[in-house]
């Protein structure tokens, strides 16, 4: 199979999804980003609260990551943030454009396809769900009794908690206890893919949420695609402080025990106990691949070319080619 024929799907949000998309676009032009929609902070949170729309920030970043050369100026403008102290301060231009398109068109998938044409996107960007979601987490270590469980609500609060996150739950915004419904196009993309990537990214607020949407979870379990997990380079303060690479895999398994994985990619210099990571990967059915994928001089960022090379080798090994 020619590399440009590979249908790749990357699931996540924020900077982590940008890393996987930047690597995948070096392998194939048939890339679909499936993006979390639970952000409640910054410009996205303000637009979500004021207009009741999907938070646009992570969707905007995914569009920019896949923008072609013909859309480079628009990509730059999309990422531009207003300064000053007025009503627009802190808003990204792309967030406002997406919010306007959402009010005019109504359908988030149509909105993202329209924005993709404007930016000359190579691939497609889809929301995980077509309605905004809320995240709730069980967190320990916040009380004198370090084992006491406290419920923390909201993506920003969970991502910055000084406690240790144990488990998360998702529901449709404003409807506690509801079951989130997946975007059908996202489900179809996962089922039709040749390779699906989970991670890197904020583990509890960008990566694991995809596993908690029933239709998307079933698609990830059933897809014939190669399933590859890309681990973070460093623990995230608050959300995964103190987590070892293997702990990330254990938490993934706790949230989706039926999910099997084909390969786990980690940076060789970021893993202090390779044997433990290999054992944790094996429990998911995967082979751990330790490569040097960190950007030079930037310990917290993946190098797109190095990650693309690691993904190519992982995919070849899964296929037996």
């Amino acid at each position: 199979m020619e590399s440009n024929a590979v249908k790749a799907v990357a699931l996540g949000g924020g900077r982590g999804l940008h890393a996987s998309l930047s690597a995948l676009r070096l392998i194939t032009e048939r890339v679909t980003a499936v993006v979390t929609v639970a952000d409640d902070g910054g410009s996205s949170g303000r637009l979500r609260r004021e207009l009741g729309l999907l938070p646009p920030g992570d969707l905007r970043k995914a569009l920019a990551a896949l923008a072609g050369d013909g859309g480079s100026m628009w990509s730059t403008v999309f990422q531009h943030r207003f300064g000053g102290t007025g009503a627009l301060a802190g808003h990204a231009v792309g967030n406002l454009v997406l919010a306007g398109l959402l009010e005019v068109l109504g359908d988030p998938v149509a909105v993202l396809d329209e924005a993709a044409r404007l930016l000359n996107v190579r691939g497609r960007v889809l929301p995980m769900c077509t309605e905004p979601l809320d995240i709730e987490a069980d967190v320990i270590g916040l009380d004198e009794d370090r084992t006491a469980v406290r419920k923390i609500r909201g993506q920003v609060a969970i991502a910055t908690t000084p406690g240790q996150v144990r488990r998360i739950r998702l529901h449709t915004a404003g409807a506690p206890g509801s079951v989130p419904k997946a975007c059908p196009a996202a489900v179809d993309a996962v089922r039709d893919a040749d390779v699906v990537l989970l991670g890197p990214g904020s583990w509890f607020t960008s990566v694991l949420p995809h596993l908690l949407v029933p239709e998307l979870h079933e698609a990830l379990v059933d897809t014939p695609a190669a399933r590859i997990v890309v681990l973070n380079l460093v623990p995230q303060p608050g959300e995964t402080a103190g987590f070892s690479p293997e702990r990330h895999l254990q938490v993934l398994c706790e949230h989706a025990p039926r999910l099997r994985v084909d390969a786990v990619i980690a940076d060789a210099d970021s893993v202090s106990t390779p044997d433990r990571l290999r054992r944790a990967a094996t429990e998911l059915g995967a082979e751990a691949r330790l490569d040097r994928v960190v950007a030079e001089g930037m310990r917290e960022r993946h190098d797109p070319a190095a990650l693309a090379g690691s993904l190519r080798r992982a995919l070849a090994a899964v296929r037996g080619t």
Side-chain angles (χ1 to χ4, degrees):
M1 181 183 294
E2 294 293 329
S3 61
N4 279 344
V6 172
K7 291 175 288 186
V9 174
L11 302 97
R15 186 178 296 176
L17 181 59
H18 190 284
S20 57
L21 294 176
S22 298
L24 283 173
R25 66 178 296 172
L26 299 177
I27 299 173
T28 177
E29 291 189 352
R30 303 181 71 180
V31 180
T32 299
V34 178
V35 186
T36 53
V37 288
D39 192 3
D40 60 358
S43 170
S44 287
R46 289 162 60 190
L47 291 169
R48 173 178 168 169
R49 289 187 294 274
E50 292 171 15
L51 303 175
L53 303 173
L54 282 182
D58 285 348
L59 297 165
R60 181 197 84 244
K61 293 172 187 173
L63 287 165
L66 293 175
D69 295 338
S72 58
M73 176 53 73
W74 273 112
S75 179
T76 300
V77 172
F78 247 58
Q79 296 288 63
H80 175 74
R81 286 188 185 274
F82 291 102
T85 58
L88 289 177
H91 278 304
V93 172
N95 287 359
L96 299 177
V97 172
L98 291 175
L101 284 168
L102 280 164
E103 287 209 330
V104 171
L105 298 178
D107 177 6
V109 174
V111 164
L112 291 164
D113 287 344
E114 187 64 37
R117 282 190 286 273
L118 178 67
L119 296 170
N120 191 30
V121 163
R122 297 175 181 175
R124 199 178 190 196
V125 175
L126 296 168
M128 178 175 73
C129 300
T130 56
E131 295 182 279
L133 301 179
D134 287 333
I135 304 180
E136 180 182 87
D138 293 336
V139 180
I140 62 172
L142 296 175
D143 301 286
E144 185 175 343
D145 177 0
R146 307 298 288 178
T147 64
V149 177
R150 191 185 295 187
K151 287 180 172 55
I152 303 294
R153 295 177 178 86
Q155 179 170 315
V156 172
I158 294 167
T160 57
T161 179
Q164 186 178 94
V165 181
R166 306 294 290 181
R167 181 169 287 274
I168 61 165
R169 291 172 293 279
L170 282 183
H171 57 78
T172 305
S178 63
V179 178
K181 186 171 180 57
C183 170
V187 173
D188 291 343
V190 170
R191 291 190 181 277
D192 194 41
D194 296 310
V195 58
V196 175
L197 263 61
L198 273 169
S202 300
W203 214 243
F204 285 100
T205 55
S206 291
V207 178
L208 295 181
H210 293 86
L211 303 174
L212 303 183
V213 179
E215 301 97 333
L216 202 50
H217 174 273
E218 291 305 306
L220 286 164
V221 169
D222 296 339
T223 181
R227 285 161 290 210
I228 300 176
V229 172
V230 181
L231 291 178
N232 294 334
L233 299 169
V234 294
Q236 181 176 344
E239 193 167 317
T240 54
F243 270 38
S244 64
E246 58 269 20
R247 178 60 184 153
H248 286 74
L249 297 184
Q250 291 161 1
V251 168
L252 188 150
C253 187
E254 289 166 5
H255 283 78
R258 292 171 52 222
L259 179 68
R260 309 306 292 167
V261 176
D262 296 289
V264 173
I265 293 175
D267 181 67
D269 296 329
S270 302
V271 179
S272 58
T273 53
D275 288 345
R276 291 182 185 176
L277 178 60
R278 290 190 180 97
R279 285 196 295 271
T282 299
E283 289 177 8
L284 286 170
E287 176 189 3
R289 305 186 65 85
L290 275 62
D291 293 324
R292 285 180 170 79
V293 293
V294 67
E296 185 175 356
M298 305 181 75
R299 184 168 170 263
E300 297 183 4
R301 192 162 296 183
H302 287 83
D303 177 82
L307 182 55
S310 184
L311 288 170
R312 283 192 187 97
R313 292 188 293 273
L315 190 54
V318 171
R319 291 173 170 169
T321 59

